[in-house]
Amino acid sequence: MTYAVTISGSPSAASRSARLLRFVESELVEAGIAVRRIDIRALSPAALLAADTSHDDLRHALAQVAGAQAVVVATPVYKAAYSGLLKAFLDVLPQDGLADKLVAPFATGGSPAHLLALDYALKPVLSALGAQHILRGVFAVDQQVPKEEGAVLDTAVAERLGATVDQLARWLHEREVIRQWPATAAKEVRRARAAATLAA
């Protein structure tokens, strides 16, 4: 089954990066893409810090990433770097854990200067995990992402997120067509043979 997995690296459920992620998830679902969510803060802290991949929490989360065709990562930026919570999770992924997946990184921070954290801190780690297709990503300052439920995202941020979702959805739909092509082609061959038999 084709699906995207979203990963929240925020220690808080009401964070701005989590808000971005919810927006992206709703847009993906609207585009016909199945979504599975990993809230790192909800995983067993002991298992995460010990990198105990035999623990049910981590085993299930790693399986979700392994089976996904696209991975969306959202994190707050602290001290010019992505969250320690996200780092702990990325550290337990296999060395090629993001190979052959489309990856989209999102981040929020208090200053536009933190934008560089996406390119110089997060993207290199995603590449080191085998990601060859990393979208440009979206960074938003705190003022652009109100935490209150029902509040509207900044228009420019919403447009950039929408453009990223369009790329993700298009790529995933194409992957699904390619995945199903052998079965579709075989069905067409059988149909053609049956038609030829009836005609004879």
Side-chain angles (χ1 to χ4, degrees):
M1 175 186 177
T2 298
Y3 66 90
V5 67
T6 61
I7 301 173
S8 174
S10 174
S12 169
S15 72
R16 290 177 170 86
S17 62
R19 177 85 197 284
L20 286 187
L21 206 54
R22 287 195 297 274
F23 179 89
V24 169
E25 288 168 344
S26 65
E27 292 285 302
L28 283 170
V29 169
E30 197 170 305
I33 303 298
V35 176
R36 299 183 185 181
R37 173 80 168 270
I38 298 173
D39 280 307
I40 303 173
R41 64 182 180 79
L43 302 177
S44 163
L48 195 58
L49 291 175
D52 180 8
T53 55
S54 66
H55 190 282
D56 285 347
D57 278 5
L58 282 191
R59 192 171 70 247
H60 179 64
L62 294 175
Q64 285 187 311
V65 174
Q69 288 68 48
V71 176
V72 179
V73 179
T75 179
V77 173
Y78 300 125
K79 298 179 181 176
Y82 54 94
S83 73
L85 198 60
L86 179 58
K87 175 173 172 36
F89 184 72
L90 294 178
D91 283 348
V92 300
L93 287 176
Q95 190 64 40
D96 60 349
L98 298 179
D100 199 32
K101 302 180 192 300
L102 186 63
V103 180
F106 301 121
T108 58
S111 161
H114 291 154
L115 167 65
L116 298 177
L118 274 178
D119 290 329
Y120 294 106
L122 184 54
K123 284 186 178 180
V125 175
L126 299 175
S127 295
L129 288 168
Q132 298 168 311
H133 313 288
I134 304 175
L135 296 180
R136 184 176 178 185
V138 175
F139 176 84
V141 294
D142 290 348
Q143 295 89 334
Q144 294 175 307
V145 190
K147 288 198 289 186
E148 299 79 15
E149 285 299 326
V152 179
L153 287 179
D154 176 82
T155 302
V157 170
E159 287 176 354
R160 294 204 305 272
L161 290 172
T164 301
V165 168
D166 286 345
Q167 286 180 279
L168 280 165
R170 195 161 50 245
W171 197 80
L172 288 172
H173 285 310
E174 288 171 0
R175 284 282 298 263
E176 183 64 13
V177 168
I178 291 169
R179 188 183 71 81
Q180 293 183 2
W181 185 82
T184 303
K187 193 180 295 182
E188 290 299 325
V189 168
R190 287 195 298 272
R191 188 177 292 129
R193 284 178 180 167
T197 302
L198 288 173

